[in-house]
Amino acid sequence: MVNLPPPEILLQLSLNGALGGAMYGVAAVGLSLIFGTMRLIFLAQGAMIILAAYFVRALFYGLGIDPFLSLLIVVPVGLGVGWLIYQGLFRKAAAEADRNVSLLIAVGLMFLVQNLMTVIWGGNTAGVVTSYTASGIELFGVRTSFTRSMGFLIALAGTGLVMLFLRKTIVGKAVRAASEDMDAATLMGISPHRVNAIAFAIGISLAGAAGVAVATTFPFNPFAGFIFSLKALVALALGGIGNVTGALAGGILLGLIEAYVQFFISGGWTNAIAYGVFLLVLMFKPEGLFSRPYKKA
């Protein structure tokens, strides 16, 4: 018979898992937007998150800008960088019927960014240590990290703003229409390149927001991005590809799975079981746990 830990321990595990998983979730929201219009699994998303984390670190140690205040710089810069990357690398490839071209470009961009970060900042582990790094706050009667809590708020705010944009603005509605049926949207006068560029720019800006959370919470190095890409992909599959709120929920669920596996089994099994759940969801509920089943023809 398995002896369950006290309720307060379970609550602590759940809280830590949810707070950590929210960072996977906000990265997955960016992936969801990019996939929605371009049908591209953007594997360089994790590398862009780590690049943003290094940018946050440079702003903090170079200019003394608080990491969370740097959101006001990082997010707009992410929008601009995303727009430029799409126009420079993906505009022509996005028009091709063969999506493998875009996928290969994304992989090449991932390796390029990784190596540029290594050249500029070195391959050693880095981090951001502030006056509140070791601080904690009490939630629901248990104590947790202040920076993790802020990362969770960033994820909620980022997802909420994206949902408002998609549902309440004309441009956002155009992005939604293109994600559902690009051909029909084109016939209605919607420019594919415009909605692709907008979705891509927002996706990279969300990577910037996730970079702030990563920089303040975890140590990182130039090659840590690939793991974040994989975890975001798992969260996206759990929540449902093309489902923005589902992507965030999938990230939180992944964080809970990792927290429980690490406590009840072993830290060495964390990734194996997480990827196992990923495969099971793809096999038996490919539309995701938080999306409606696909309609059969």
Side-chain angles (χ1 to χ4, degrees), residues 58-82:
L59 290 174
F60 178 65
Y61 288 113
L63 300 177
I65 300 175
D66 182 88
F68 294 115
L69 288 179
S70 70
L71 275 167
L72 300 175
I73 300 173
V74 175
V75 172
V77 168
L79 283 169
V81 169

Side-chain angles (χ1 to χ4, degrees), residues 1-291:
M1 184 176 178
V2 178
N3 293 321
L4 292 176
E8 59 269 19
I9 299 296
L10 288 175
L11 182 58
Q12 183 81 62
L13 284 174
S14 300
L15 187 59
N16 288 341
L19 295 181
M23 282 182 276
Y24 302 147
V26 72
V29 171
L31 277 184
S32 180
L33 277 174
I34 294 171
F35 181 85
T37 58
M38 296 177 61
R39 297 299 183 263
L40 166 68
I41 299 296
F42 186 59
L43 290 177
Q45 184 81 342
M48 301 307 294
I49 291 173
I50 300 302
L51 179 61
Y54 274 110
F55 184 38
V56 170
R57 186 175 184 270
L59 290 174
F60 178 65
Y61 288 113
L63 300 177
I65 300 175
D66 182 88
F68 294 115
L69 288 179
S70 70
L71 275 167
L72 300 175
I73 300 173
V74 175
V75 172
V77 168
L79 283 169
V81 169
W83 182 276
L84 291 175
I85 289 175
Y86 174 79
Q87 299 294 348
L89 295 179
F90 290 100
R91 181 182 175 91
K92 184 177 179 180
E96 300 287 339
D98 186 0
R99 298 302 178 191
N100 290 328
V101 176
S102 295
L103 179 61
L104 290 174
I105 293 174
V107 172
L109 178 63
M110 177 183 70
F111 288 123
L112 174 62
V113 172
Q114 284 180 350
N115 283 278
L116 283 177
M117 289 189 291
T118 303
V119 170
I120 296 171
W121 291 292
N124 295 328
T125 299
V128 174
V129 180
T130 67
S131 59
Y132 50 75
T133 296
S135 299
I137 60 175
E138 191 167 308
L139 293 172
F140 307 112
V142 297
R143 195 164 181 80
T144 190
S145 164
F146 171 76
T147 54
R148 280 180 179 260
S149 302
M150 288 298 294
F152 185 79
L153 292 178
I154 289 172
L156 287 181
T159 304
L161 289 173
V162 168
M163 290 302 301
L164 285 174
F165 168 75
L166 292 176
R167 293 181 176 179
K168 301 298 183 180
T169 68
I170 294 175
V171 176
K173 291 176 182 178
V175 171
R176 287 176 61 197
S179 67
E180 292 178 9
D181 191 329
M182 181 64 82
D183 292 334
T186 302
L187 292 174
M188 296 297 293
I190 296 173
S191 169
H193 288 305
R194 187 184 180 199
V195 295
N196 283 343
I198 291 170
F200 199 92
I202 295 174
I204 300 302
S205 71
L206 288 171
V212 173
V214 169
T216 54
T217 306
F218 301 114
F220 53 89
N221 63 63
F223 301 98
F226 185 64
I227 296 298
F228 276 99
S229 291
L230 290 180
K231 295 297 177 67
L233 183 58
V234 173
L236 184 61
L238 292 177
I241 294 176
N243 184 343
V244 171
T245 54
L248 177 62
I252 293 174
L253 177 59
L254 176 59
L256 291 171
I257 291 171
E258 290 186 342
Y260 286 128
V261 169
Q262 190 167 7
F263 183 84
F264 287 105
I265 303 177
S266 168
W269 282 92
T270 303
N271 287 334
I273 292 179
Y275 296 141
V277 171
F278 167 63
L279 292 175
L280 289 173
V281 170
L282 289 180
M283 289 170 60
F284 298 107
K285 205 172 188 301
E287 71 274 10
L289 299 178
F290 305 105
S291 295

